Amino acid sequence: MVEQAPVPSSSSAFSFLSKSWRDVRVSADADLQMIRNRANSFKNLTNSLDRELENFINTASTFSVPSISSSTAAEIDFVKKLQPKLSEFQRTYSSPDFSKRVLEKWGPRGSIKINLSAIKKAIASEVDGDGFIDFDRARRRRRVQFRNFRDEEAKEKEYDYWEPIRKFKTRLREFERGSSSSVDIFEGWKSGEFIERFKSSLKAICKDPGDSKVVPPLDVPELLACLVRQSEPLLDQFGVRKDLCEKIIESLCSKRKNQFLLPALSAGESSVAGNDNISDDLDLRIASVLQSTGHSYEGGFWADQGKDDISDQKRHVSIVTTASLPWMTGTAVNPLFRAAYLAKCAEQNVTLLVPWLCKSDQELVYPSNLTFSSPEEQETYIRSWLEERIGFKADFRISFYPGKFAKERRSIIPVGDTCQFIPSKDADIAILEEPEHLNWYHHGKRWTDKFNHVVGIVHTNYLEYIKREKYGAFQAFLVKHINSWVIRAYCHKVLRLSAATQDLPKSIICNVHGVNPKFLKIGERVAVEKELGQQAFSKGAYFLGKMVWAKGYRELIDLLAKHKNDLDGFKLDVFGNGEDALEVQSAARRHDLNLNFLKGRDHADDSLHGYKVFINPSVSDVLCTATAEALAMGKFVICADHPSNEFFRSFPNCLTYSTSEDFVAKVKEAMENEPQPLTPEQRYHLSWEAATQRFLEYSDLEKFLNNENRYCRKSKGTMLKSISAPSLTEMVDGGLAFAHYSLTGNEFLRLCTGAIPGTRDYDKQHSKDLNLLPPHVENPLYGW
């Protein structure tokens, strides 16, 4: 038989109820404290939220953003509409009445009424028919009823007092689902992170380029664009036109075009960077990266090139010639005067680049055994000679390049890459005196790639000289086409001093030579003496020139020998030194000619002032300098009717002949009469001032020098881009240059065409004299 628990008494039942009530009160106090903490927390949250909203709206209104997306604008409008409701909610739930009502409902002073009859009925219902109570089941039922009671009360309070919070949270969830970009926006507001991010974004959009000092390095497309630009000379040799290279550069840089305005650029530079030209932007990009690294490149081959200040933005003219004083030849004297008078106008910087010969070659070339131990010593001699004749101090630079003397050709051959001796910063305009001579064996960078404008001046009629040699006709044929080849490859414009020269591509005829001012002064003195009735000329006729057959000595001896009887009693003084002196004198003695051979001297020498007639039968000259000097001194000049003398025909004292009989008649006419004094216009026509003006006009240098942009070709912004394909002429010229570069790089082919051994690269002696890098050591500043 199962033992049953006895029925509890009334005191036991009330003791159980008191204990249960204490548990309820403890649980209620804990719930009340939790509610109080949550209320305070929410109060703080609303205060913080209100401040962040005001700060956000005020901050957003202070920035000027060009364009804001529609979703962002909608979010800002929602926040503005939400602010008044949040403020009202804050005032309502932060008031003392709200706390009082909560405490009255849940505080300990609240009255709780217990219906004992209901408890009695509950206890009675637990008693079964046998008078026993199942306390386990009673406890479970009371717990369920109490939980239901608490849930109903909490639900009631929630509906009465927390409905705004529930709605607010619902709106927040909807807002979060509607905008993926604002998932944690209110959490960001609470910590201020969102506001800081928003401010940073606005500053990034509107920031000044000068605020940041960090310059990102060049990326791969930019490096490729730089490589294409640096490879333009090589690509040009393959016929790839410059416009096509620019299109490749533009395609590489197009994706980063809007990122070229770098923070490292100053405000002035950033205005330039606004140019739509991709190449200009790439230039600024590279410059900013170099500036951020502290890199500074002055350029130049010599150690002292930093002394040249190009901040005045002057154009730079580099004159390159094939001879130098004290060798008294036209290619040494005329380029020297050209440099002086171009520098005189002070509108451009000028450099004269002349060959430097080792002492063994100097002894063969320079007169009177005159030699120099250093380039500085020779420069001093050149400047002293020049200033004695022009009467002013010429402000231009003299530089040297290595050269070797070819005995067979009686000329100086450049050694190595001549254009590398002109610093890149000065590579603006190049004037090549005798461009065919300079480029026969040129193995280096293309002149037209390094310089903006290249002008060649043809001094010598090489074909006429070569025809006099063995197999002359065949050699002349080859040289004629080689000259055209190198002119097309390396020059933009060519000036021929007269029509006596070979007809070359890109050439026009214009005399751009003048005479030494000293000769013009002599002519002025002669004119004054004639006006005063004094005898200006006391001597007869003379001839002056280097004593080689090609300089007119053969024509002179033939004319005098043929008409020896017609010119009976005619005496001619001959001044000159040269390799053919003995042969010339021997031929004169053989024909028993009345020629008096004298040592060569300067045409301005006092001993020559008294001669009245200058005879020059040469037909190999292009433009005889001695003829112009004789006319400037007011003398008669007898010369052949030849294209080389076309410029002098306009002067009344120039007597030209076309036949040998005519020569005799002109000689008699000159010996019997007095020359006419030159007019001021005629003297100016012979001057270097007039020659310089003609040179600027006919070489197109005038428009280059007057261009405001220092680099009219290097600065891409000044050029109109062409989207057309390269022209056939330019492709052919580029191909010719590449072929010439390839052929001249082979020493065997150089020797086969007559080059001096070892002229492709300078030797140790040149390296020592000019303080150059050792041979076969590549200069990093001058890679091809």
Side-chain angles (χ1 to χ4, degrees):
M1 181 176 178
V2 179
E3 184 178 359
Q4 294 180 344
V7 178
S9 63
S10 300
S11 59
S12 298
F14 280 102
S15 175
F16 165 76
L17 291 177
S18 296
K19 182 178 179 180
S20 299
W21 173 240
R22 283 195 300 270
D23 294 338
V24 171
R25 291 191 60 181
V26 170
S27 177
D29 290 340
D31 292 339
L32 182 62
Q33 185 63 33
M34 181 181 64
I35 293 173
R36 186 181 291 112
N37 293 337
R38 289 183 177 178
N40 292 333
S41 175
F42 183 76
K43 179 179 179 181
N44 296 332
L45 175 62
T46 54
N47 291 333
S48 175
L49 180 61
D50 186 64
R51 288 193 300 269
E52 294 292 345
L53 282 173
E54 293 180 356
N55 186 21
F56 167 73
I57 295 175
N58 294 333
T59 305
S61 62
T62 59
F63 289 93
S64 177
V65 184
S67 61
I68 303 177
S69 63
S70 58
S71 60
T72 306
E75 293 173 6
I76 294 177
D77 293 339
F78 168 73
V79 173
K80 289 182 177 181
K81 295 178 180 180
L82 188 63
Q83 186 187 14
K85 297 181 180 180
L86 292 175
S87 300
E88 181 180 357
F89 176 81
Q90 177 192 1
R91 289 193 300 269
T92 302
Y93 286 93
S94 62
S95 63
D97 295 340
F98 172 75
S99 301
K100 184 177 180 180
R101 289 196 300 270
V102 172
L103 294 178
E104 286 178 352
K105 291 291 183 181
W106 296 95
R109 292 187 300 271
S111 59
I112 300 176
K113 298 179 181 180
I114 301 176
N115 191 347
L116 297 180
S117 60
I119 296 175
K120 182 179 179 180
K121 292 178 180 179
I123 294 174
S125 63
E126 298 296 332
V127 181
D128 58 7
D130 297 331
F132 294 95
I133 300 175
D134 188 350
F135 287 97
D136 292 333
R137 188 178 65 176
R139 292 191 188 99
R140 288 195 300 269
R141 183 177 297 174
R142 286 195 300 270
R143 289 171 184 170
V144 172
Q145 291 176 349
F146 185 76
R147 280 198 302 269
N148 293 338
F149 172 76
R150 289 188 56 187
D151 291 340
E152 291 178 359
E153 291 289 331
K155 187 175 181 180
E156 182 180 358
K157 295 297 186 294
E158 179 181 358
Y159 281 107
D160 291 343
Y161 300 102
W162 298 97
E163 180 65 19
I165 300 301
R166 188 187 63 79
K167 292 182 179 181
F168 179 69
K169 290 182 179 181
T170 303
R171 289 297 301 273
L172 283 180
R173 284 193 295 270
E174 293 176 355
F175 178 71
E176 291 172 358
R177 288 192 299 268
S179 177
S180 59
S181 62
S182 57
V183 175
D184 298 327
I185 184 170
F186 287 98
E187 292 181 5
W189 286 351
K190 182 175 180 180
S191 61
E193 181 181 359
F194 173 79
I195 299 300
E196 295 301 325
R197 288 181 181 178
F198 189 74
K199 290 181 179 179
S200 301
S201 299
L202 292 178
K203 289 181 179 180
I205 296 173
C206 307
K207 66 179 179 179
D208 187 359
D211 292 340
S212 176
K213 298 181 180 179
V214 179
V215 179
L218 297 175
D219 56 16
V220 175
E222 290 171 332
L223 292 174
L224 291 176
C226 295
L227 178 61
V228 172
R229 174 180 293 180
Q230 295 300 322
S231 303
E232 283 180 1
L234 180 60
L235 296 174
D236 193 25
Q237 306 303 326
F238 290 100
V240 180
R241 192 177 176 181
K242 193 175 186 65
D243 292 341
L244 185 57
C245 294
E246 291 177 353
K247 290 167 65 177
I248 296 174
I249 295 172
E250 184 175 356
S251 63
L252 290 171
C253 299
S254 59
K255 294 182 179 180
R256 289 187 55 88
K257 180 176 180 180
N258 296 328
Q259 303 177 20
F260 279 137
L261 298 179
L262 294 178
L265 298 176
S266 61
E269 291 172 331
S270 62
S271 62
V272 178
N275 197 319
D276 290 337
N277 192 296
I278 290 292
S279 297
D280 280 348
D281 294 339
L282 181 59
D283 287 337
L284 294 174
R285 174 80 169 106
I286 297 172
S288 63
V289 174
L290 291 177
Q291 183 180 7
S292 66
T293 60
H295 174 77
S296 177
Y297 168 58
E298 298 294 337
F301 196 85
W302 311 100
D304 60 346
Q305 293 302 317
K307 63 184 180 182
D308 293 313
D309 183 12
I310 61 172
S311 59
D312 54 0
Q313 296 299 314
K314 286 185 178 180
R315 305 302 297 267
H316 198 104
V317 178
S318 301
I319 303 175
V320 188
T321 187
T322 57
S324 176
L325 294 178
W327 190 9
M328 298 300 297
T329 183
T331 53
V333 174
N334 290 308
L336 183 60
F337 281 111
R338 194 184 328 280
Y341 280 89
L342 279 175
K344 183 180 180 181
C345 61
E347 294 181 356
Q348 56 274 330
N349 297 320
V350 179
T351 296
L352 177 64
L353 190 63
V354 298
W356 167 261
L357 299 178
C358 298
K359 187 158 292 188
S360 58
D361 284 340
Q362 293 182 29
E363 294 172 352
L364 297 174
V365 177
Y366 299 152
S368 304
N369 296 322
L370 184 61
T371 59
F372 306 97
S373 58
S374 67
E376 292 77 13
E377 185 179 350
Q378 185 173 1
E379 179 180 351
T380 302
Y381 175 88
I382 294 173
R383 292 189 182 278
S384 176
W385 184 93
L386 177 65
E387 292 175 5
E388 289 178 1
R389 288 157 176 77
I390 61 177
F392 62 89
K393 186 175 180 61
D395 184 17
F396 65 93
R397 189 174 66 214
I398 298 178
S399 299
F400 294 84
Y401 68 88
K404 288 187 177 183
F405 181 68
K407 297 179 182 179
E408 296 79 8
R409 298 188 178 184
R410 300 186 180 94
S411 59
I412 298 175
I413 303 299
V415 177
D417 181 9
T418 307
C419 69
Q420 70 173 319
F421 296 94
I422 300 174
S424 297
K425 66 176 182 178
D426 297 336
D428 187 11
I429 297 172
I431 301 174
L432 306 183
E433 311 277 355
E434 294 196 316
E436 69 275 53
H437 184 164
L438 285 170
N439 291 298
W440 278 334
Y441 303 107
H442 174 70
H443 181 70
K445 191 168 186 177
R446 191 180 178 188
W447 293 93
T448 52
D449 289 337
K450 184 168 184 177
F451 291 85
N452 296 327
H453 190 57
V454 181
V455 180
I457 301 177
V458 180
H459 290 247
T460 308
N461 188 2
Y462 288 106
L463 300 183
E464 185 65 30
Y465 289 117
I466 294 174
K467 288 177 182 178
R468 301 170 185 264
E469 299 178 359
K470 188 177 181 180
Y471 307 112
F474 176 70
Q475 293 186 61
F477 174 80
L478 295 179
V479 172
K480 176 181 179 181
H481 291 283
I482 291 175
N483 290 344
S484 299
W485 181 356
V486 296
I487 290 296
R488 289 191 61 174
Y490 297 115
C491 293
H492 292 120
K493 192 74 174 283
V494 175
L495 300 180
R496 298 158 54 202
L497 297 179
S498 71
T501 59
Q502 173 187 343
D503 187 11
L504 294 168
K506 309 175 183 179
S507 67
I508 60 173
I509 299 173
C510 179
N511 174 24
V512 293
H513 285 177
V515 298
N516 187 337
K518 193 172 184 177
F519 296 104
L520 294 173
K521 292 180 180 179
I522 295 173
E524 292 176 0
R525 186 174 68 246
V526 169
V528 172
E529 291 176 354
K530 287 186 176 181
E531 290 179 359
L532 297 176
Q534 301 176 2
Q535 184 179 2
F537 303 110
S538 58
K539 301 179 182 179
Y542 74 106
F543 175 63
L544 178 145
K546 186 177 181 180
M547 200 167 289
V548 294
W549 286 114
K551 284 294 185 179
Y553 284 91
R554 189 177 300 280
E555 290 83 357
L556 178 63
I557 291 178
D558 290 344
L559 287 171
L560 294 178
K562 183 177 181 179
H563 297 280
K564 179 179 179 181
N565 296 329
D566 296 333
L567 296 174
D568 187 24
F570 176 72
K571 181 181 179 181
L572 182 68
D573 293 337
V574 179
F575 298 87
N577 303 316
E579 296 84 355
D580 299 332
L582 295 177
E583 295 181 11
V584 171
Q585 295 174 15
S586 176
R589 287 193 298 267
R590 187 169 58 251
H591 290 91
D592 193 19
L593 301 178
N594 193 8
L595 297 178
N596 182 27
F597 291 96
L598 300 171
K599 187 178 181 180
R601 62 197 65 182
D602 192 340
H603 205 175
D605 191 88
D606 293 341
S607 61
L608 301 177
H609 292 177
Y611 287 95
K612 182 175 67 172
V613 180
F614 175 72
I615 296 179
N616 181 17
S618 174
V619 291
S620 63
D621 289 328
V622 173
L623 186 77
C624 183
T625 303
T627 300
E629 293 170 347
L631 288 173
M633 290 188 287
K635 305 177 186 296
F636 274 125
V637 172
I638 299 176
C639 57
D641 186 6
H642 188 262
S644 61
N645 298 315
E646 182 68 28
F647 177 78
F648 305 120
R649 288 181 181 176
S650 60
F651 294 88
N653 293 334
C654 180
L655 307 177
T656 60
Y657 64 90
S658 56
T659 64
S660 60
E661 292 76 14
D662 198 12
F663 170 76
V664 174
K666 298 299 180 182
V667 170
K668 293 180 178 180
E669 178 185 351
M671 297 300 294
E672 295 172 358
N673 298 292
E674 289 294 322
Q676 300 179 18
L678 294 178
T679 64
E681 291 78 8
Q682 291 170 345
R683 282 197 296 269
Y684 176 77
H685 203 46
L686 290 170
S687 69
W688 266 105
E689 287 85 357
T692 302
Q693 187 59 40
R694 291 193 297 268
F695 172 72
L696 294 175
E697 179 181 355
Y698 285 90
S699 64
D700 295 335
L701 244 66
E702 199 167 20
K703 66 180 182 180
F704 277 85
L705 295 176
N706 293 334
N707 195 325
E708 294 182 357
N709 293 303
R710 183 171 185 269
Y711 298 103
C712 57
R713 181 168 171 263
K714 292 179 182 177
S715 181
K716 312 294 190 305
T718 62
M719 295 183 62
L720 294 177
K721 290 187 176 181
S722 174
I723 59 175
S724 60
S727 66
L728 179 61
T729 301
E730 292 176 341
M731 293 181 65
V732 171
D733 292 348
L736 291 174
F738 178 73
H740 184 264
Y741 176 82
S742 301
L743 294 175
T744 54
N746 187 290
E747 186 66 18
F748 176 75
L749 293 177
R750 293 172 66 92
L751 296 177
C752 290
T753 54
I756 303 176
T759 54
R760 190 184 68 175
D761 303 296
Y762 54 82
D763 55 22
K764 293 182 179 180
Q765 187 61 44
H766 281 124
S767 176
K768 179 180 178 181
D769 294 343
L770 297 175
N771 297 320
L772 304 176
L773 291 175
H776 309 296
V777 176
E778 181 181 358
N779 190 331
L781 300 179
Y782 296 96
W784 200 81

